[in-house]
Amino acid sequence: LMILSHIQLIQEKQALESELNIASQIQEGLMPKILPEVSGYQFHAFQMQCKMVGGDLYDVAKLADGRILFLLADVSGKGMGAALLASNILSAFRMLRGMANFDCADATARVSEQLAGTSRGGDFATVFLAILDPTTHTLQFVNAGHNPPLLVKPDGSSQYLDSTGIPIGIFAGFQWTQTTLELVPGDRIWVFTDGIPEAHDISANQYSDERLEQFLIESRNAPLPDATLTLIQDVSKFVGEAPRSDDIT
């Protein structure tokens, strides 16, 4: 009986791992593999999950009017529950992409309303949603409680794109404000989840926003894929033997 019980446990574990592997492949497939090509602009995306499935999501798409929508979000919690919630949020935003005159604040409020009405209490997500107009070189964005993205200027100065409202899904009826930013040649915007600044070493020291900002300023002239790879290597070196605690996007 003990042997049979042991075999059963192994079989159940294998079945669970198989299901998680399928879920991981599905979630990975939801993220865009080919990013839009726009004259004068470059886009790059990277994701590394802490577990087989996670609560980080991103999206980039060209709208019918030629503007570029991009989204980065981080769902509360970990594992399968967070992954399901992330998929729901991603689908909700994608359903709104076809709306004429897509508006970041309106879309954020609509998705938050749905999330607040259908999820468990305590489920929420931080979101950075932006629209780039490559003809006017302006960026309109909503930061719903997300880690402030960093704008790095060609001269090495920097600016955080601070929060314009609370995370989505906390309660219905909240209205986010939208901010407009004018871009100049050489500007680079880094949008990231808290898995980078809050990555910690074996002594619980965090990588920190300060270290991240300094790194991004110093690498402002490096090609985007190279700068991203070097950043991930720097975070991994800092973490060392400590187990990874969160997704990185």
Side-chain angles (χ1 to χ4, degrees), residues 7 28 38 42 51 56 72 77 89 96 112 144 172-173 175 185 204 222:
I7 292 173
E28 183 180 355
V38 181
Q42 291 181 328
K51 299 181 179 179
D56 280 9
L72 190 63
I89 292 170
L96 299 175
S112 180
Q175 294 297 315

Side-chain angles (χ1 to χ4, degrees), residues 149-163:
L150 186 69
L151 166 64
V152 179
K153 309 292 288 184
D155 63 1
S157 60
S158 61
Q159 173 189 342
Y160 282 105
L161 309 187
D162 292 324
S163 176

Side-chain angles (χ1 to χ4, degrees), residues 187-229:
D187 282 352
R188 182 174 290 188
I189 297 176
W190 291 87
V191 192
F192 50 89
T193 55
D194 58 10
I196 296 180
E198 294 181 10
H200 58 78
D201 63 15
I202 200 71
S203 300
N205 299 305
Q206 291 192 347
Y207 189 79
S208 79
D209 291 302
E210 293 76 18
R211 179 168 178 154
L212 175 60
E213 180 178 1
Q214 187 62 35
F215 180 94
L216 298 181
I217 290 172
E218 291 176 355
S219 64
R220 64 186 180 277
N221 294 320
L224 294 181
D226 295 350
T228 302
L229 177 60

Side-chain angles (χ1 to χ4, degrees), residues 103-113 142-144 163-168 171-178:
D103 178 80
C104 291
D106 177 66
T108 301
R110 286 172 181 260
V111 175
S112 180
E113 197 85 10
V142 164
N143 183 344
S163 176
T164 63
I166 62 174
I168 66 171
F171 60 81
F174 186 85
Q175 294 297 315
W176 283 261
T177 57
Q178 181 171 273

